[in-house]
Amino acid sequence: MERYKSSGGENVNAAYDKTGDDPHLFEETTFSGTNSNGVSKEEHRAVRQSVVSAFGHDTLDRVPNIDFYRNAGSVSGHRAIRPSLQELHDVFQKGNGAISVPDTVEDGGEGSEGTPSDDVESAIPAPETTGGLKFGWIKGVLVRCMLNIWGVMLFIRLSWVFGQAGWGLGIVVIALSCVVTTITGLSMSAICTNGVVRGGGAYYLISRSLGPEFGGSIGLIFAFANAIAVAMYVVGFAETMVDVLKEYASLMVDEVNDIRIIGCITVVLLLAISVAGMEWEAKAQIVLLIILLVAIVNVFVGTFIPATEDKKSKGFFNYDSRVFLENFAPSFQDGESFFSVFAIFFPAATGILAGANISGDLKDAQAAIPKGTLLAILITGVTYLGVALCVSATVVRDATGNVNDTVTMGAACEGSAVAACELGFNFSSCAVEDCKFGLLNNNQVMTMVSGFGPLITAGTFSATLSSALASLVSAPKVFQALCKDNIYKILHFFAKGHGKNNEPIRGYVLTFFISVAFILIGNLNEIAPIISNFFLASYALINFSCFHASWAKSPGWRPGYKYYNMWLSLLGALLCCAVMFVINWWAALITYAIEILLYVYVTVKKPDVNWGSSTQAVTFVSSVSNALSLSAVEDHVKNFRPQLLLLTGSAKTRPALLDLAHSFSKNYGLCITCEVFVGSGLGRMKPNTLMIGFKGDWRTTDRETVQSYVGVLHDAFDFEYGMVMLRVSEGLDMSHILEAEEEMLKAAQEQEALEKEAMPNGKGKGLFRKSRNTSKQVLTTRVSVCSPPTPQVAKMTERLVEASTQFQKKQPKGTIDVWWLFDDGGLTLLLPYILTTRKKWKDCKLRIFIAGQPGRSDLDKQEMKSLLTKFRINCTDINVIDDIHVKPRSDSWKTFKDMIEPFRLHEGRRDAAQAEAMRKEHPWKITDEELDTFEEKTNLQVRLNELLRENSTSANLIIVSMPIARKESVSDYLYMSWLDVLSKGLPPTLLIRGNHKSVLTFYS
């Protein structure tokens, strides 16, 4: 690799002022107001002087801090800017004793790759958005999900479902719905605990996981489905109201038109509550929940109250085994089937996303969504099952409602109404004419069964209105998040929010008109199957998102929720797709067609967003896999493709050469233009981290070799590569052993050849006798060269071979000690985490060591614990080392001085002229001035080795932050001595330094 010399203007942060020395104060960034240079007036705030206290001297390096990983304009805290790799590595210049840390430096200059800079979090929040209402997991997720699931089906359709399917298949209907929603809930829990969740619910989860193409297509469908759900729940409410009006003969026009009129009036009132703000909507939900809970209890109580003659005539007989057994088998009527009944019931289970849909209004969406959603599924599933079984055990399928339809004494009970006949009522007429009562005919069975009928009516109102209200809030919130991302530019009008909660007023109005359009259909059974497919499509993609992210095995996929399985998620996705076709095959095809069209549209438009999706991760994995598989295939003349290495210099300087080469390779082969090789690779498949072994013989090898080795390190920093250096005490180089084995192999082959020349009787062939003698001489020479080594050499060789193969074996139980001393973007933490995900290292736990300020170890530990929690990285222990600043022991310092003694110039003992002559004669040696200048940094390396020996000698692997030497300021031998003394006498040690661009994020 060619040495790169910084020109002072290339690859250097433009905001970095080189006129100073190491800083006395580091300044971080906030975002409010700008000065004449476009830099924020208030964007500097002093960091506590923990760095000075922890390390004993000023350094531009910063200790790890959560603020370095925030996005620009973060609403949860100020974003700080860590010093760049260039600032730490560039030429050391003295000036006024201060250094100006950059004002506004993005990770990587052009924006950190992989950082969701276009995310919602990146947008600078408007002033009016502060102070909005935030909900906990109970009020924000559990209550909303339960209210949405306990919807219109609970009181006016559940009895009909069990009447048609019987309680045998009815249980299957509920169980199948719960299986789909539970798997989806598990997948959603994994996704939403893989980073901070912002507003947008299912759309946000899918788009940040699978990318804007999938997210944009399903976002529109999901928002539209929620808008239709408003209509479904409002129609359920209107049906109940019409039944009440019928009892009092007070219909306005007729049943269908009355449903439409009441529905439209209701949705107007709900819109008014929603527009009033989340506070009013939340209060309304609590009131509705109380009414609903009382109504549910009322149903269970009513089943124990002895039935009156009037109730018996309507099919209610209290608990009776004959009724229960008769209702076991299905009795599908009017063309219904298991799947059509399932299609009617399934929308009742779609409320599981009610909490996720307002994710932007939750205090802690990561914790609230899994806990609230899964508990809601359990509670509502048990409730549905309990209510349905109670009704199935007490009410017959058909009843006339006539108290005079009794059975005469001694009459035989036959036909379909045997249980009622045995209980004294004759409902056989229902087999030939339509009856108005019983499970199959009366939508108000729950009212009849309950202890107090009006409470069920109130409960029905509560269930339908709460679900409608939740959907009316969800649809605009999801739609607003979609519009904010500007995937569909034509819809950006609806992104604007109003008030302190950023209410999507425009989205409310749009949802209102959509819901009114479907309310005018006026038939609940017509509306329910339509939204079933839309919700199932959303569920399918949530499950697929979880599977896809797990399959991609990206290091960024670290969900805090562990109780999921990628194959179970895939099963859930396939199950959702299958159920879509089972419910309504043509509606499923239409749903897929719409989704594909939207997907193609977004793909063609190429929205300018980068969310680090699993699709990108899979693309990289597939590329690597295909490249590796291709390397195992021999070239064939039929598959020859021109793959040009085009030496153009700068590509712009020789356009004719480039154009002609492109004509050769376009759609046929590969064309790589180059000026200077900066490492091999193609596009995103280029290296970003250099891994190298520690040069253990640096004190005995020649000077040019040391300079070349250190030059590679400087080049890596110049090219902004991450740096990983491995040191094993036994050494890494096995070349001499391999050479010896090769010699032994050649000798053995020579011996075998000699034996083949010999006759069976021991006499050789005369023709080959001369050549055999020559071969014997060669063998004798080789054997003498490969003679058995001394016991000491043999033991060293054995230890080297064992050390060289130690990482091929499963590692024993132990720890990986991570000494994360400087914030380098997180590479020092990410690489050991990746190790713990490998089978060979699964028994090794992370221990984190950080530098701390004396007197505040507990606070430093808590801050690091909080940061690791946000990164979803587990460790067994966090150790705060608050005595790094202490000077090393005298024996340790003497060892270091002895190490560097052969390479010191000792010019301080000479006069100025002699000292200058010595510097010119030996420019590579360590000067006294250099040692004085970097005395504190040298002390730090020696002291760190003492601490490493005290705390980590039993670790399976040690990870420690790698020191950086400034170019042309720190000599090669002093830098090598730092690396040597830091890692000396330790278990296998990795020195790591990232390129100071974030490789960890707590955003999803």
Side-chain angles (χ1 to χ4, degrees):
M1 183 180 290
E2 184 179 330
R3 287 295 304 273
Y4 172 81
K5 183 176 288 186
S6 174
S7 63
E10 297 175 8
N11 291 331
V12 179
N13 192 330
Y16 172 45
D17 181 6
K18 295 184 181 182
T19 61
D21 202 340
D22 284 348
H24 298 291
L25 182 65
F26 181 69
E27 295 174 330
E28 297 180 349
T29 304
T30 62
F31 294 82
S32 57
T34 59
N35 61 16
S36 59
N37 297 323
V39 178
S40 172
K41 296 176 184 176
E42 300 178 14
E43 67 185 38
H44 302 296
R45 59 188 178 92
V47 174
R48 65 175 192 271
Q49 295 297 315
S50 59
V51 175
V52 179
S53 303
F55 298 110
H57 67 284
D58 265 350
T59 173
L60 190 58
D61 255 326
R62 297 295 122 186
V63 293
N65 191 297
I66 190 173
D67 291 339
F68 291 136
Y69 298 90
R70 298 192 189 278
N71 282 345
S74 172
V75 297
S76 53
H78 295 291
R79 183 193 180 191
I81 305 300
R82 71 174 66 86
S84 71
L85 189 60
Q86 289 290 332
E87 292 157 13
L88 294 171
H89 182 237
D90 217 340
V91 179
F92 187 81
Q93 296 183 17
K94 292 187 177 182
N96 56 11
I99 210 167
S100 174
V101 180
D103 295 330
T104 53
V105 181
E106 296 294 334
D107 288 337
E110 68 281 356
S112 176
E113 292 181 11
T115 300
S117 56
D118 296 310
D119 204 348
V120 176
E121 178 70 10
S122 301
I124 299 175
E128 70 266 22
T129 61
T130 58
L133 182 66
K134 295 291 183 181
F135 301 106
W137 74 274
I138 295 178
K139 206 172 182 180
V141 181
L142 179 64
V143 170
R144 289 174 184 277
C145 287
M146 288 195 304
L147 283 172
N148 218 18
I149 297 172
W150 284 333
V152 66
M153 298 297 169
L154 180 60
F155 295 119
I156 64 176
R157 281 294 185 275
L158 186 60
S159 57
W160 177 86
V161 168
F162 270 64
Q164 292 277 355
W167 62 265
L169 286 181
I171 292 175
V172 176
V173 168
I174 294 177
L176 182 57
S177 299
C178 288
V179 166
V180 172
T181 55
T182 301
I183 294 176
T184 305
L186 294 174
S187 300
M188 182 173 64
S189 299
I191 296 172
C192 72
T193 57
N194 191 50
V196 175
V197 178
R198 299 299 174 198
Y203 159 71
Y204 185 92
L205 299 178
I206 294 171
S207 63
R208 269 51 177 183
S209 182
L210 290 178
E213 296 83 7
F214 282 104
S217 57
I218 204 63
L220 272 183
I221 292 176
F222 186 72
F224 186 61
N226 273 282
I228 301 175
V230 176
M232 183 188 75
Y233 295 127
V234 169
V235 168
F237 168 76
E239 281 189 4
T240 308
M241 282 291 294
V242 168
D243 287 339
V244 173
L245 293 175
K246 282 167 58 179
E247 288 184 15
Y248 297 97
S250 301
L251 290 177
M252 292 177 283
V253 184
D254 55 49
E255 288 189 30
V256 174
N257 285 309
D258 280 12
I259 289 174
R260 292 169 178 164
I261 294 169
I262 295 171
C264 290
I265 295 172
T266 304
V267 81
V268 169
L269 295 175
L270 293 177
L271 177 65
I273 295 175
S274 301
V275 171
M278 292 293 289
E279 295 96 334
W280 286 95
E281 186 264 351
K283 292 173 183 176
Q285 293 281 28
I286 295 298
V287 173
L288 294 173
L289 175 65
I290 294 172
I291 297 172
L292 187 55
L293 290 174
V294 172
I296 293 172
V297 172
N298 186 38
V299 172
F300 288 110
V301 171
T303 57
F304 292 98
I305 298 175
T308 62
E309 289 299 314
D310 180 60
K311 284 190 175 183
K312 289 181 179 179
S313 69
K314 294 178 180 178
F316 174 62
F317 295 98
N318 292 111
Y319 290 101
D320 192 282
S321 59
R322 290 166 291 185
V323 174
F324 192 55
L325 291 174
E326 185 178 83
N327 287 334
F328 171 75
S331 179
F332 295 115
Q333 298 179 10
D334 302 325
E336 300 292 348
S337 65
F338 171 80
F339 297 115
S340 65
V341 170
F342 177 78
I344 298 298
F345 175 80
F346 185 77
T350 57
I352 65 168
L353 296 178
N357 288 339
I358 63 161
S359 54
D361 296 300
L362 299 175
K363 292 177 183 176
D364 184 3
Q366 287 180 280
I369 292 176
K371 194 188 305 182
T373 302
L374 294 173
L375 187 57
I377 292 173
L378 175 63
I379 293 173
T380 54
V382 171
T383 304
Y384 270 116
L385 200 58
V387 171
L389 290 176
C390 285
V391 173
S392 297
T394 57
V395 183
V396 296
R397 282 192 168 101
D398 293 296
T400 60
N402 188 344
V403 294
N404 296 320
D405 286 342
T406 56
V407 177
T408 56
M409 295 297 293
C413 293
E414 297 177 352
S416 59
V418 175
C421 177
E422 292 176 351
L423 291 169
F425 279 82
N426 181 12
F427 298 146
S428 58
S429 60
C430 293
V432 294
E433 61 183 37
D434 292 335
C435 292
K436 295 184 178 181
F437 298 97
L439 295 177
L440 290 171
N441 309 302
N442 184 11
N443 289 335
Q444 303 301 325
V445 166
M446 299 296 179
T447 304
M448 177 188 67
V449 170
S450 67
F452 183 60
L455 268 181
I456 297 301
T457 303
T460 305
F461 292 165
S462 173
T464 52
L465 291 177
S466 63
S467 298
L469 192 56
S471 297
L472 186 57
V473 169
S474 297
K477 293 278 186 182
V478 172
F479 192 59
Q480 182 187 34
L482 173 65
C483 297
K484 275 186 176 180
D485 288 334
N486 209 21
I487 293 177
Y488 303 101
K489 296 186 184 297
I490 195 174
L491 299 177
H492 193 65
F493 171 79
F494 295 97
K496 183 175 176 58
H498 300 269
K500 62 182 180 181
N501 282 320
N502 198 32
E503 297 291 350
I505 303 298
R506 297 171 180 176
Y508 284 132
V509 174
L510 180 63
T511 303
F512 168 77
F513 284 111
I514 293 173
S515 58
V516 166
F518 280 87
I519 285 171
L520 295 178
I521 295 176
N523 190 331
L524 188 61
N525 287 7
E526 295 290 335
I527 298 174
I530 296 174
I531 66 170
S532 292
N533 273 299
F534 284 172
F535 279 116
L536 279 166
S538 304
Y539 291 178
L541 275 183
I542 289 175
N543 283 304
F544 184 71
S545 296
C546 182
F547 164 75
H548 201 256
S550 303
W551 185 52
K553 295 180 180 177
S554 171
W557 174 248
R558 304 184 300 274
Y561 187 83
K562 303 297 183 184
Y563 304 104
Y564 73 96
N565 180 274
M566 60 181 289
W567 300 111
L568 187 63
S569 296
L570 180 61
L571 174 64
L574 296 175
L575 190 60
C576 290
C577 293
V579 171
M580 287 176 68
F581 281 96
V582 164
I583 288 176
N584 193 315
W585 66 268
W586 58 264
L589 290 177
I590 291 174
T591 303
Y592 282 123
I594 294 172
E595 187 173 334
I596 291 171
L597 286 174
L598 292 173
Y599 180 91
V600 171
Y601 173 83
V602 176
T603 303
V604 170
K605 289 296 182 180
K606 292 184 173 66
D608 186 21
V609 294
N610 181 11
W611 295 321
S613 66
S614 60
T615 306
Q616 295 170 332
V618 168
T619 300
F620 181 85
V621 170
S622 301
S623 300
V624 173
S625 177
N626 291 336
L628 290 174
S629 62
L630 190 62
S631 64
V633 177
E634 294 185 6
D635 291 335
H636 193 280
V637 64
K638 290 192 295 183
N639 293 324
F640 172 79
R641 292 174 181 269
Q643 301 185 100
L644 308 177
L645 180 62
L646 193 60
L647 302 178
T648 60
S650 175
K652 293 181 180 179
T653 59
R654 296 173 177 83
L657 183 62
L658 181 61
D659 292 341
L660 185 59
H662 182 59
S663 300
F664 292 142
S665 61
K666 182 181 179 182
N667 296 331
Y668 283 100
L670 181 66
C671 179
I672 301 177
T673 65
C674 62
E675 181 175 3
V676 177
F677 289 95
V678 186
S680 60
L682 178 63
R684 293 290 178 185
M685 293 178 63
K686 62 185 178 183
N688 54 25
T689 304
L690 177 67
M691 186 167 182
I692 193 170
F694 175 74
K695 188 165 187 61
D697 61 348
W698 67 275
R699 285 182 288 172
T700 57
T701 191
D702 61 273
R703 173 165 47 92
E704 288 75 16
T705 302
V706 174
Q707 289 176 334
S708 176
Y709 179 83
V710 176
V712 170
L713 306 184
H714 283 302
D715 285 340
F717 290 135
D718 277 335
F719 296 133
E720 295 189 342
Y721 279 21
M723 174 61 66
V724 179
M725 180 181 289
L726 173 63
R727 180 171 187 177
V728 177
S729 58
E730 294 82 2
L732 296 169
D733 189 3
M734 291 184 60
S735 57
H736 59 287
I737 297 176
L738 297 177
E739 289 172 2
E741 288 180 349
E742 187 177 346
E743 287 293 328
M744 291 291 290
L745 180 62
K746 287 180 180 178
Q749 290 173 344
E750 188 72 25
Q751 178 68 32
E752 185 179 353
L754 288 173
E755 291 174 355
K756 285 183 179 179
E757 291 178 11
M759 293 290 293
N761 59 2
K763 295 180 179 179
K765 297 179 180 179
L767 183 62
F768 298 102
R769 195 167 292 163
K770 182 177 179 181
S771 63
R772 183 171 67 250
N773 289 338
T774 305
S775 299
K776 284 182 178 180
Q777 292 173 1
V778 173
L779 178 61
T780 303
T781 303
R782 283 182 178 160
V783 169
S784 64
V785 171
C786 304
S787 58
T790 62
Q792 184 180 3
V793 173
K795 186 174 182 180
M796 291 177 61
T797 301
E798 182 182 353
R799 289 173 57 192
L800 176 58
V801 172
E802 184 179 351
S804 298
T805 59
Q806 62 181 314
F807 299 131
Q808 299 174 9
K809 307 170 186 174
K810 189 176 185 302
Q811 300 298 306
K813 284 187 177 181
T815 63
I816 299 175
D817 286 1
V818 182
W819 290 68
W820 192 19
L821 305 176
F822 306 115
D823 198 312
D824 59 351
L827 187 68
T828 306
L829 184 61
L830 178 62
L831 291 184
Y833 163 76
I834 293 175
L835 276 182
T836 62
T837 65
R838 309 303 186 192
K839 288 183 179 179
K840 293 177 182 177
W841 295 85
K842 69 176 184 178
D843 293 332
C844 297
K845 306 301 181 183
L846 294 183
R847 288 199 306 171
I848 309 297
F849 293 81
I850 60 172
Q853 184 179 9
R856 49 168 288 146
S857 296
D858 291 340
L859 182 58
D860 288 333
K861 183 174 182 178
Q862 191 59 39
E863 288 179 353
M864 178 54 63
K865 183 178 180 181
S866 174
L867 181 60
L868 294 175
T869 300
K870 281 187 172 290
F871 285 150
R872 293 94 60 205
I873 292 178
N874 296 323
C875 68
T876 57
D877 193 18
I878 298 174
N879 298 277
V880 180
I881 309 298
D882 59 4
D883 57 349
I884 295 179
H885 62 283
V886 176
K887 285 191 176 183
R889 298 190 304 268
S890 57
D891 59 324
S892 300
W893 184 246
K894 183 179 184 304
T895 302
F896 175 77
K897 289 182 69 176
D898 293 342
M899 178 190 297
I900 64 172
E901 182 61 31
F903 313 106
R904 291 190 62 182
L905 189 62
H906 290 298
E907 84 286 2
R909 304 171 185 173
R910 306 285 194 272
D911 58 37
Q914 289 180 321
E916 185 62 27
M918 292 175 68
R919 290 192 195 97
K920 289 182 178 180
E921 185 180 357
H922 304 287
W924 49 272
K925 284 198 172 185
I926 305 171
T927 66
D928 293 341
E929 181 184 4
E930 181 184 0
L931 274 180
D932 290 340
T933 302
F934 296 102
E935 179 183 4
E936 291 174 330
K937 194 162 186 176
T938 303
N939 285 340
L940 177 62
Q941 315 312 319
V942 180
R943 175 59 180 158
L944 280 174
N945 181 258
E946 293 178 350
L947 293 169
L948 285 163
R949 290 178 183 240
E950 289 175 15
N951 295 278
S952 297
T953 51
S954 61
N956 290 19
L957 180 68
I958 297 174
I959 312 286
V960 62
S961 293
M962 182 179 182
I964 295 179
R966 288 191 180 275
K967 293 186 299 183
E968 303 179 19
S969 299
V970 179
S971 63
D972 295 339
Y973 279 95
L974 180 59
Y975 190 30
M976 288 302 301
S977 68
W978 285 354
L979 300 176
D980 194 339
V981 74
L982 174 61
S983 55
K984 190 176 182 64
L986 297 172
T989 302
L990 275 178
L991 303 177
I992 298 180
R993 173 67 74 150
N995 63 1
H996 286 241
K997 299 176 184 177
S998 294
V999 298
L1000 291 170
T1001 180
F1002 46 80
Y1003 299 104
S1004 58

